[in-house]
Amino acid sequence: MAYEPKEENPPNWKRDFPIRQDEATHISRREFAKFLCLLSGGLALGNGYVVLSSFAFPDKELEGEHFVCNTSDVPVGGMTMFAIQGTREIPYILIHLSEGEWRAFEQKCTHLSCAVVYRDEVKKIECPCHNGWFSADTGEVLQGPPPRSLPQLSVVVRDEKVYVTAFNDTVS
Amino acid sequence: MSDFREAQDQAHPNKTNTLMLGIIMLLIGILSIQIWLLYSALNNALDENEDIAIAAFVGSLILFFTGLWLLKYLPDTRRRVNEEEQTGSKYQ
Ligand code: FES
């Protein structure tokens, strides 16, 4: 249906924001082009937000040691889950790879944040959502859609107790 | 003296149509590039690669201003042009 304004010469603001729905279906190409430009401004803003949030509020390193469990709680080849409270609660998994070998990774898959699990049969970490696989040793992506490796924590075992600290490469 | 706007208003509808289509296409192209920039900035910021986020932001901003500047060349509506022709307010 062609656009028929009910008033003879409606003012611009009425033409842009009409009350009747049938008048509102008319979008001129001028308006469309302006809308595209608005969207583009929004995207630029979004990009600015990425910059801002990565510089002004960088992710804090984990401070200090956090107690997770006793060594006897997780058998070799086993896995347990724990969370560290911070500004937000981050879920982690603790893996008992082999005798005396422990690993701790964030549980959120880097693809779409599904919960990952350790598969002892293949000694790898699996994300069941889209068949993503990570190395249980380093957290690197082995296969599937995840774009980044799993964030890792260092594990310290002292007096039969397991603690985690921020990951740094010198600690093995 | 006639400026760009007037010359454009007097142009044949075919020409304004082409111009309109061209501008909209350019804007869509700009938007696609910006989406791609935002996507890579996000992915790289998560990987602690912040330099890319800055470059993407600057690029995105430049593209946005290019789009704004393009709007200047949007042809006026035919209706308004016709009205002005009838009342003779502009071209005498
Ligand atoms: S969410 Fe893990 S592979 Fe998609």
Side-chain angles (χ1 to χ4, degrees):
Chain A
M1 202 180 77
Y3 173 62
E4 297 165 36
K6 298 289 178 275
E7 274 174 73
E8 260 306 286
N9 262 324
N12 271 341
W13 63 268
K14 266 195 182 174
R15 231 184 275 168
D16 289 346
F17 304 101
I19 297 168
R20 297 171 48 103
Q21 200 195 357
D22 55 346
E23 290 174 23
T25 50
H26 170 84
I27 297 178
S28 71
R29 286 178 294 170
R30 283 174 64 80
E31 283 162 33
F32 180 56
K34 286 181 189 165
F35 176 69
L36 286 181
C37 198
L38 185 76
L39 268 186
S40 132
L43 282 177
L45 268 187
N47 239 323
Y49 177 74
V50 174
V51 174
L52 202 75
S53 64
S54 59
F55 277 99
F57 319 101
D59 281 344
K60 271 203 228 75
E61 283 257 303
L62 193 65
E63 277 171 19
E65 287 184 353
H66 293 256
F67 171 73
V68 181
C69 61
N70 298 319
T71 45
S72 52
D73 293 345
V74 185
V76 172
M79 173 193 115
T80 187
M81 289 169 281
F82 64 99
I84 293 181
Q85 243 90 13
T87 36
R88 58 206 160 114
E89 189 173 314
I90 307 173
Y92 288 96
I93 54 175
L94 178 75
I95 303 168
H96 199 171
L97 263 189
S98 57
E99 208 46 66
E101 284 280 322
W102 297 82
R103 292 287 183 275
F105 297 104
E106 215 170 89
Q107 197 185 17
K108 280 193 297 185
C109 176
T110 52
H111 180 219
L112 294 176
S113 298
C114 278
V116 296
V117 282
Y118 175 59
R119 293 256 171 266
D120 192 43
E121 318 87 80
V122 285
K123 305 248 178 269
K124 287 176 197 160
I125 299 171
E126 179 192 15
C127 174
C129 286
H130 313 102
N131 199 19
W133 291 86
F134 300 90
S135 153
D137 190 33
T138 58
E140 275 166 40
V141 182
L142 299 176
Q143 179 200 314
R148 291 175 297 280
S149 19
L150 287 175
Q152 191 173 4
L153 292 181
S154 297
V155 183
V156 182
V157 181
R158 209 184 313 118
D159 305 332
E160 304 291 292
K161 289 187 185 348
V162 182
Y163 300 88
V164 289
T165 65
F167 183 71
N168 70 53
D169 291 328
T170 51
V171 182
S172 62
Chain B
M1 227 179 76
S2 83
D3 62 2
F4 169 79
R5 170 66 62 197
E6 265 176 61
Q8 203 181 48
D9 288 347
Q10 288 163 335
H12 192 269
N14 271 347
K15 188 194 151 195
T16 33
N17 269 341
T18 315
L19 194 60
M20 187 69 109
L21 183 70
I23 288 178
I24 289 182
M25 281 315 193
L26 279 175
L27 283 173
I28 290 179
I30 284 178
L31 267 184
S32 327
I33 300 176
Q34 280 186 310
I35 291 175
W36 171 73
L37 280 178
L38 184 61
Y39 171 80
S40 18
L42 264 180
N43 251 330
N44 280 287
L46 287 173
D47 227 356
E48 271 149 33
N49 209 344
E50 278 102 358
D51 294 349
I52 294 195
I54 299 181
F57 174 53
V58 172
S60 200
L61 215 57
I62 293 176
L63 283 173
F64 167 59
F65 284 119
T66 314
L68 264 188
W69 172 77
L70 273 179
L71 285 191
K72 205 172 81 161
Y73 295 99
L74 266 189
D76 259 332
T77 40
R78 294 302 300 168
R79 196 190 310 117
R80 191 172 315 148
V81 175
N82 287 339
E83 274 166 19
E84 276 166 4
E85 259 165 18
Q86 274 163 16
T87 54
S89 62
K90 210 167 174 185
Y91 317 110
Q92 276 176 346

